[in-house]
Amino acid sequence: MPKYHDDLDAVLRALADPTRRAVVERLARSPAVVSELAAPFSMALPSLMQHLRVLEDAGLITSEKHGRVRTVSLRPGALDVLHLWLDEQRTPAERQADRLGIHLTRTNPKET
Amino acid sequence: MPKYHDDLDAVLRALADPTRRAVVERLARSPAVVSELAAPFSMALPSLMQHLRVLEDAGLITSEKHGRVRTVSLRPGALDVLHLWLDEQRTPAERQADRLGIHLTRTNPKET
């Protein structure tokens, strides 16, 4: 699956930077305009725009311009590729623990 | 939490390479000796050792030498920092869907 692995490469590289992760964390709450995203960082706007471009190229965010205001959103399902890969890496012991957890939820719904 | 973010940087950077991800995928099944890990890759052993060093520095793997044989293992909980970060990024809609899923599991255990 070369497409899947290319996507993962891009997503992981994009997220391997604390500023870009902070942008994703902010957008997970709600869309935001660029000036709002820039506010918490002591960073020149062109540098932030460069980070946004990396996130957009990785398929993590989308943006839309209305007049002079650009609104940035987390793309729905943006992190699915990473969830999927992580799920596949669960070790046999973790899978067993998960099955036990599901079993307990089903048999003792009140106690969970 | 600078430590948490440094760990995440290192883990994400280490995983943003298809060879290193393939090594983690293999080790999620069971520990392996270095020659076994090298087998699927048409790669010189020093290059593979370099990849293993990056994974070890990121805290993802450990290795142990017995005589002339080095066995490599996925560190238990190696990917927890990434699971944790991803969980924190669930959007309000995803959180609501999760709560609904748990509710359905509890009220209709047979149908899940």
Side-chain angles (χ1 to χ4, degrees):
Chain A
M1 288 187 287
K3 171 79 169 65
Y4 170 64
H5 277 289
D6 287 351
D7 288 353
L8 261 177
D9 280 5
V11 165
L12 289 162
R13 260 197 299 265
L15 294 176
D17 174 277
T19 301
R20 291 196 291 264
R21 277 203 305 282
V23 168
V24 169
E25 289 163 13
R26 168 63 191 78
L27 295 177
R29 303 206 315 267
S30 69
V33 300
V34 169
S35 58
E36 240 182 294
L37 288 177
F41 307 109
S42 49
M43 183 179 280
L45 200 63
S47 303
L48 180 72
M49 294 307 289
Q50 176 60 35
H51 282 307
L52 294 182
R53 209 147 29 232
V54 174
L55 290 168
E56 194 155 11
D57 290 347
L60 288 166
I61 65 170
T62 55
S63 72
E64 224 176 329
K65 204 166 180 178
H66 293 288
R68 302 184 61 173
V69 178
R70 181 172 290 279
T71 304
V72 186
S73 310
L74 196 63
R75 199 173 58 70
L79 298 168
D80 284 0
V81 69
L82 197 47
H83 278 288
L84 189 68
W85 185 81
L86 272 179
D87 276 351
E88 286 167 3
Q89 306 330 311
R90 285 177 309 155
T91 60
E94 286 168 339
R95 285 172 197 275
Q96 197 172 3
D98 285 350
R99 278 195 300 272
L100 180 66
I102 291 167
H103 176 73
L104 290 177
T105 306
R106 288 180 182 183
T107 50
N108 302 304
K110 294 281 149 39
E111 291 176 27
T112 54
Chain B
M1 285 188 289
K3 172 77 169 66
Y4 170 63
H5 277 289
D6 288 351
D7 288 353
L8 260 177
D9 281 5
V11 165
L12 289 161
R13 261 198 298 265
L15 294 176
D17 174 278
T19 302
R20 291 196 291 262
R21 277 203 305 281
V23 168
V24 169
E25 289 164 12
R26 168 64 191 79
L27 294 177
R29 302 206 316 268
S30 68
V33 299
V34 169
S35 59
E36 241 183 291
L37 288 176
F41 307 109
S42 50
M43 183 180 279
L45 199 63
S47 303
L48 180 72
M49 294 307 288
Q50 176 61 34
H51 282 307
L52 294 181
R53 209 147 29 229
V54 175
L55 289 169
E56 194 156 11
D57 288 348
L60 288 167
I61 65 170
T62 55
S63 72
E64 223 176 328
K65 203 166 181 177
H66 292 287
R68 302 185 60 171
V69 178
R70 181 173 290 279
T71 304
V72 185
S73 310
L74 196 63
R75 201 173 57 72
L79 298 168
D80 285 359
V81 69
L82 198 47
H83 277 289
L84 188 68
W85 186 82
L86 272 179
D87 276 352
E88 286 167 3
Q89 306 330 311
R90 287 177 308 157
T91 60
E94 286 167 339
R95 285 171 197 276
Q96 198 173 2
D98 286 349
R99 279 195 300 271
L100 180 66
I102 290 166
H103 176 74
L104 290 176
T105 305
R106 288 181 182 183
T107 51
N108 302 303
K110 291 282 150 37
E111 291 175 29
T112 54

